[in-house]
Amino acid sequence: MTKSHIELTINGKKVEALVEPRTLLIHFLREQQNLTGAHIGCDTGHCGACTVDMDDMSVKSCMTFAVQAHGTEITTIEGVAHADGTLSALQEGFRMMHGLQCGFCTPGMILRAHRLLQENPTPTEDEIRHGISGNLCRCTGYVNIVKSIQYAAAKINGTPFQEAAE
Amino acid sequence: MIPGTFDYHRPATIEDAVALLSRLGEDANILAGGHSLIPLMKTRLASPDHLVDLSGIGNLKGIKVEGDTLIIGAMTTQFELIASEALERHVPIIAETSRLIADPQIRYKGTFGGNLANGDPGNDMPALMLCLGATYSVTGPEGSRQIAARDFYQGAYFTSLEHGEILTSVSIPIPAAGHGYAYEKLKRKVGDYATAAAAVVITMADGKCTSASIGLTNVSDTPLLASGAAAALVGTSLDRTSVDAAVLAAEVITSPASDMRGPAAYRTKMAGVMVRRALERAQSRAKG
């Protein structure tokens, strides 16, 4: 089968590659670009651990072919921190609010929450829970994840942080 | 899970896409959002030799109002349906239904046309299109034709679409201002297909129901138009007896499979419950 030439931007860097059409975006990122932050959880499109940001959409990269990402701009967890290496508001939120235990779902959670806060900078707890309903966490029970996102929203907006009710 | 090998094509126009599909024959599949097809390819339940990706065709996207008709391009995503002010103003039941499909990530990629055209009885939009009396525009090697949504679904994964034809857009008559509407879906979790679901659109005047339309999701091989149930409501005040009759009329036309979502008898009852709940909510929203 013919390989396809793709050009895209990943974490601000232009990338060109030849890919087999059947190569999934998650495999392209992890194996050809050595960006192993996005995880393969269920491999069936349910868990959201592979979520990356593609042209202002949260996308499950295990359900997307790399060829479909031609011409797009992608952000992975490796591109989320500030240029000087300090943590983004969301990363800081997950750290401060203990928004992770094993950490496997965290890159997907943070990328999804990143897009949610771009679209809705002041989400209610309910909107956060609906917003991350495509991401599964098997450790935390979500309470601290919701708090982490609220922490980040407050930090970005410069407003006082109010914890979700337990 | 790695899909089988295939060649990838991204045509820029509908004509090119149709020509490609004709030339490549039955071994070619259309790729829209990919969230139904790619899982099948990963499990090798589908192994097309060619994928024709429609995402490069600009004029398959968009939502516009022409007179009293709403026209939605087939490649419009669920996310775009939810965000559309025109839909919110004219046919809000579409966004209400979209919000119950899959999860946020999948709604960014999943398309309206894909949900309508792949013929999966679990998809939510087809029953809504039956309810709204939509018409599908399809283009193939012989040119374009119109198919009523109510004639489109023949069986599970079997539609009136011929190989080589592409669903390009959907025309929906805008329901009367002040209409009541609701889409009620019973599902086990976010992202699940319906155990049963019902789309209801009604109009009311002086406390009487003047028109009603009801579609049912995932309780048969195809989406169902519950005409008998709707007929039981017109002219009534949606009193208990009339609603009971409509619920019964909806239940009798279902023929769900017994599966992990429940035994057939349960799913039939749930179809009735969804009709009842949707009617209550539609009535509370209807003006007149």
Side-chain angles (χ1 to χ4, degrees):
Chain A
M1 298 284 150
T2 324
K3 282 198 176 182
S4 296
H5 175 251
I6 59 170
E7 287 182 29
L8 64 165
T9 306
I10 305 176
N11 300 329
K13 206 177 89 191
K14 293 249 185 267
V15 171
E16 279 188 58
L18 276 179
V19 293
E20 267 194 89
R22 65 170 169 170
T23 304
L24 294 159
L25 181 59
I26 185 72
H27 293 135
F28 174 72
L29 292 171
R30 291 177 58 85
E31 293 161 20
Q32 294 189 38
Q33 300 299 313
N34 295 321
L35 296 169
T36 55
H39 289 151
I40 301 171
C42 66
D43 209 10
T44 58
H46 291 94
C47 81
C50 64
T51 300
V52 299
D53 204 66
M54 181 169 114
D55 280 355
D56 301 340
M57 303 180 288
S58 306
V59 167
K60 291 184 173 176
S61 60
C62 85
M63 281 298 151
T64 308
F65 292 118
V67 284
Q68 293 176 280
H70 173 65
T72 64
E73 281 194 34
I74 288 181
T75 305
T76 69
I77 190 67
E78 289 88 347
V80 165
H82 299 300
D84 62 2
T86 55
L87 297 182
S88 74
L90 271 164
Q91 289 172 308
E92 183 182 315
F94 273 74
R95 179 169 177 236
M96 297 302 289
M97 293 295 114
H98 305 282
L100 59 138
Q101 287 177 28
C102 85
F104 195 84
C105 72
T106 313
M109 285 286 182
I110 288 181
L111 265 298
R112 174 63 200 129
H114 165 76
R115 183 51 42 202
L116 173 68
L117 293 184
Q118 297 285 318
E119 289 171 2
N120 179 0
T122 54
T124 62
E125 180 188 343
D126 202 43
E127 287 166 343
I128 292 174
R129 287 179 179 275
H130 278 98
I132 60 167
S133 60
N135 295 73
L136 299 181
C137 170
R138 300 290 77 169
C139 300
T140 67
Y142 303 99
V143 171
N144 285 356
I145 292 175
V146 173
K147 282 184 194 169
S148 303
I149 297 168
Q150 290 173 316
Y151 177 104
K155 170 141 186 175
I156 294 165
N157 298 327
T159 52
F161 166 56
Q162 287 181 327
E163 282 195 10
E166 297 262 345
Chain B
M1 293 180 289
I2 316 281
T5 53
F6 61 88
D7 278 331
Y8 174 79
H9 310 266
R10 180 151 52 175
T13 65
I14 295 171
E15 293 71 32
D16 287 352
V18 168
L20 263 172
L21 288 168
S22 287
R23 180 162 64 78
L24 299 171
E26 303 263 330
D27 295 328
N29 258 69
I30 292 171
L31 177 66
H35 280 71
S36 300
L37 179 60
I38 296 174
L40 289 178
M41 291 175 65
K42 289 176 73 168
T43 51
R44 307 275 178 132
L45 290 169
S47 46
D49 290 333
H50 299 270
L51 283 189
V52 178
D53 184 354
L54 302 185
S55 68
I57 306 175
N59 55 0
L60 286 179
K61 256 186 190 274
I63 298 164
K64 59 185 176 192
V65 176
E66 283 184 4
D68 49 10
T69 305
L70 184 78
I71 298 169
I72 304 178
M75 286 294 283
T76 307
T77 64
Q78 303 291 345
F79 178 80
E80 289 162 340
L81 296 177
I82 292 169
S84 162
E85 282 175 24
L87 283 193
E88 197 53 45
R89 187 161 61 249
H90 294 296
V91 197
I93 193 172
I94 295 176
E96 176 163 299
T97 304
S98 279
R99 278 190 281 268
L100 296 171
I101 294 174
D103 64 39
Q105 282 94 319
I106 291 169
R107 292 195 291 266
Y108 285 109
K109 296 292 285 177
T111 64
F112 183 56
N115 199 277
L116 294 176
N118 91 341
D120 184 337
N123 287 350
D124 293 283
M125 284 295 171
L128 177 57
M129 293 303 110
L130 265 52
C131 171
L132 291 169
T135 303
Y136 300 168
S137 295
V138 309
T139 300
E142 313 295 322
S144 297
R145 63 189 180 116
Q146 314 280 316
I147 309 170
R150 291 171 185 177
D151 298 329
F152 187 77
Y153 299 96
Q154 315 272 323
Y157 303 98
F158 181 49
T159 70
S160 303
L161 209 58
E162 301 287 343
H163 181 80
E165 283 185 322
I166 297 171
L167 172 63
T168 55
S169 69
V170 177
S171 307
I172 299 165
I174 294 173
H179 71 277
Y181 65 91
Y183 190 75
E184 281 284 344
K185 177 178 180 179
L186 178 67
K187 54 181 178 170
R188 300 166 304 172
K189 57 181 270 293
V190 165
D192 195 16
Y193 293 107
T195 302
V200 167
V201 172
I202 55 170
T203 52
M204 303 284 290
D206 303 324
K208 297 269 192 220
C209 174
T210 49
S211 72
S213 187
I214 301 174
L216 303 175
T217 296
N218 214 16
V219 284
S220 178
D221 279 351
T222 63
L224 297 174
L225 182 70
S227 329
L233 298 167
V234 176
T236 77
S237 60
L238 301 182
D239 55 285
R240 181 67 192 245
T241 313
S242 310
V243 171
D244 284 349
V247 165
L248 191 64
E251 286 175 1
V252 297
I253 63 167
T254 66
S255 52
S258 291
D259 62 13
M260 71 280 195
R261 293 184 181 84
Y266 166 74
R267 296 182 64 191
T268 290
K269 276 291 168 206
M270 289 309 103
V273 172
M274 292 305 107
V275 168
R276 190 182 297 279
R277 288 183 187 169
L279 271 171
E280 274 172 24
R281 222 147 47 80
Q283 188 179 8
S284 75
R285 284 165 161 172
K287 297 183 177 65

